[in-house]
């Protein structure tokens, strides 16, 4: 399944390919304060791909907190977080915020809530290595 998505203003956009053709898409609502306050709900798949484009060099405000191992790509214009990346074992991995999908029926989501607060750093990185999208590119277009 090929899905396009953007932040609200369209400066951060992406194409994600996930192998969920004809089935419910598993999505996770993170319980951390950042994701709760942004209303973010994520999905990923270890056989997925993500190709993201940031329009304008100042459009992507990368934000990290806690362990500093995940980068939340926040649009500096509209404040939406379309995707999150993390480098694990030399590979850039990602999850995408399903609330930024274009044209996907929310009824196709199978939602669960997750709490990662009790994970130690090693377990967190191992989970990302096992479940996050492993083929990721994030490029910048100079013109806004």
């Amino acid at each position: 399944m090929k899905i396009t998505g953007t932040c609200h203003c369209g400066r951060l956009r992406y194409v994600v390919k996930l192998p969920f053709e004809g089935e419910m898409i598993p999505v996770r609502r993170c319980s951390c304060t950042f994701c709760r306050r942004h209303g973010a709900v994520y999905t990923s798949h270890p056989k997925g791909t993500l190709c993201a484009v940031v329009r304008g060099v100042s459009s992507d405000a990368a934000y990290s907190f806690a362990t500093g191992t995940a980068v939340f790509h926040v649009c500096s214009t509209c404040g939406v977080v379309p995707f999150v990346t993390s480098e694990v074992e030399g590979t850039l991995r990602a999850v995408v915020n399903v609330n930024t999908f274009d044209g996907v029926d929310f009824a196709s989501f199978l939602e669960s809530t997750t709490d990662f607060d009790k994970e130690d750093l090693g377990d967190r990185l191992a989970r990302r290595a096992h479940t996050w999208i492993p083929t990721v590119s994030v490029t910048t277009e100079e013109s806004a």
Side-chain angles (χ1 to χ4, degrees), residues 25 48 65 83 90 118 121 128 131 144:
I25 301 171
F65 61 98
F83 56 92
K118 293 182 175 111
L121 182 58
R128 291 176 186 163
T131 62

Side-chain angles (χ1 to χ4, degrees), residues 118-141:
K118 293 182 175 111
E119 277 184 327
D120 68 25
L121 182 58
D123 290 341
R124 184 166 296 188
L125 294 175
R127 174 181 47 78
R128 291 176 186 163
H130 180 70
T131 62
W132 283 29
I133 298 166
T135 306
V136 176
S137 70
V138 180
T139 58
T140 303
E141 289 180 352

Side-chain angles (χ1 to χ4, degrees), residues 96-142:
V96 290
N97 181 353
V98 300
N99 290 326
T100 64
F101 283 2
D102 295 326
V104 175
D105 184 359
F106 280 46
S108 66
F109 297 153
L110 180 60
E111 187 174 320
S112 63
T113 300
T114 56
D115 183 357
F116 302 122
D117 288 339
K118 293 182 175 111
E119 277 184 327
D120 68 25
L121 182 58
D123 290 341
R124 184 166 296 188
L125 294 175
R127 174 181 47 78
R128 291 176 186 163
H130 180 70
T131 62
W132 283 29
I133 298 166
T135 306
V136 176
S137 70
V138 180
T139 58
T140 303
E141 289 180 352
E142 296 288 326

Side-chain angles (χ1 to χ4, degrees), residues 51-81:
C51 181
V53 177
V54 177
R55 289 178 37 210
V57 292
S58 65
S59 295
D60 180 15
Y63 178 68
S64 291
F65 61 98
T67 65
T69 58
V71 177
F72 292 77
H73 295 266
V74 183
C75 178
S76 61
T77 303
C78 67
V80 172
V81 180

